[in-house]
Amino acid sequence: MLPALASNVAVMDPDALDPLTQQAVDEILAEGTSANTDVSYRTALRYWAAWFALRYRKPLKFPVPVPAVIQFIVDHAQRSTPGGLRCDLPDSLDEVLVEKGYKAKLGPMALSTLNHRVSVLSSLHKRSPELENPCRSPAVRDLIARTRRSYAKRGERPKGKAALTRELLEQLVGTCDDSLKGLRDRAILLLGWASGGRRRSEIVSLRVEDLKRVGPDEFIFELGASKTNQSGTVKADDLKPVVGAAGSALADWLAATGLASGPLFRQIDKSGSLRGALSASAVRTIVRERCLLAGLDGDFSAHSLRSGFVTEAAKQLIPLGETMALTGHRSIPSVMRYFRAGSVTTSKAAKLFDEGDKTE
């Protein structure tokens, strides 16, 4: 016999979610989503809503029909025609999307952006099991797959950010003077690079309490939740070193600011006073500003610290496992593209002709 329940406890239907339960689910999903992911999802959804309203003269509603998703792909993906490459987005519609700020510039989307837009739409449908996901339809899946293949056949590949290897990073650090801003930027660049190529979100989430000083200019910090460890599970390689030039730069920043708690890297106002924590986008701005001051040409961004660290590790023949222990990469293929780029000129296999006579 079932025990009696208090009168204020509602009897629930196991085959349907209660509205309050659905609200709780939405809150958990929102809290468990990184800030960067949340922004990218909102941007993608805004674009879908704007494009749909202009294309069909009606507001976007879920589930989105399969024909509309196919039209979206055809509107934004370039294809080869007898008259050259083209996509079907009307010029007048394109102009409005750019004018209203939904699109950065006129013309076709980058393939990576198109893939992301479709992926976001698919994810939003998957969050509501009762919605039929149009992106899982055979027609959409086949069209996306063949679109990617077409771009590859034309030699169009996703372009990564340029890598800041050791020599280039030295030039950036050389632009940092001994002002508070210079000390901060030097510490960010060197810590972000030397501790394993930290992501911008990891850099700005660091707190003074995360640091443990193990020498005059030597520190260890514990990396919490990150892109590859969003649950924040404690792992053996969470401890990251900040030593050498990076340790000295961090010690100088702490000595100049006297920070004892709170966010490690702060905003600095025009009067030279410290403010709140930096945003993730500020790290990208710092890298680009320092590249400009150093006179570096190339498409550099915050990710250039990460790719530069891995590329430099390969150039210096650091074992892949040791490199991955610092970067936190879980997938060998994802790190190998940088690792191979860095080690390509030092490959022994590439010198078989020159070394062949030494084995006789």
Side-chain angles (χ1 to χ4, degrees), residues 316-329:
Q316 296 192 28
L317 304 181
I318 305 298
L320 180 60
E322 189 174 340
T323 300
M324 292 178 67
L326 271 185
T327 63
H329 279 101

Side-chain angles (χ1 to χ4, degrees), residues 125-147:
H125 279 83
K126 285 190 290 187
R127 288 187 179 184
S128 300
E130 71 277 6
L131 296 179
E132 186 173 350
N133 188 349
C135 303
R136 302 299 297 173
S137 75
V140 171
R141 294 177 67 178
D142 187 49
L143 182 58
I144 280 289
R146 290 176 185 268
T147 297

Side-chain angles (χ1 to χ4, degrees), residues 177-213:
D177 57 21
D178 290 331
S179 66
L180 205 57
K181 187 174 185 293
L183 292 173
R184 181 200 64 188
D185 290 1
R186 183 187 294 123
I188 286 175
L189 292 170
L190 287 172
L191 178 148
W193 194 92
S195 64
R198 301 271 58 87
R199 298 178 180 87
R200 58 181 184 167
S201 58
E202 296 168 349
I203 293 173
V204 299
S205 66
L206 282 174
R207 299 179 64 82
V208 179
E209 294 90 336
D210 297 328
L211 296 175
K212 180 180 180 182
R213 193 186 289 258

Side-chain angles (χ1 to χ4, degrees), residues 209-262:
E209 294 90 336
D210 297 328
L211 296 175
K212 180 180 180 182
R213 193 186 289 258
V214 293
D217 294 336
E218 296 181 339
F219 302 84
I220 292 174
F221 69 85
E222 185 170 1
L223 191 66
S226 65
K227 183 178 179 180
T228 54
N229 182 18
Q230 296 195 16
S231 63
T233 304
V234 176
K235 297 184 178 181
D237 58 359
D238 283 347
L239 297 179
K240 306 298 180 184
V242 187
V243 297
S248 297
L250 181 57
D252 289 343
W253 166 247
L254 290 172
T257 59
L259 289 172
S261 63

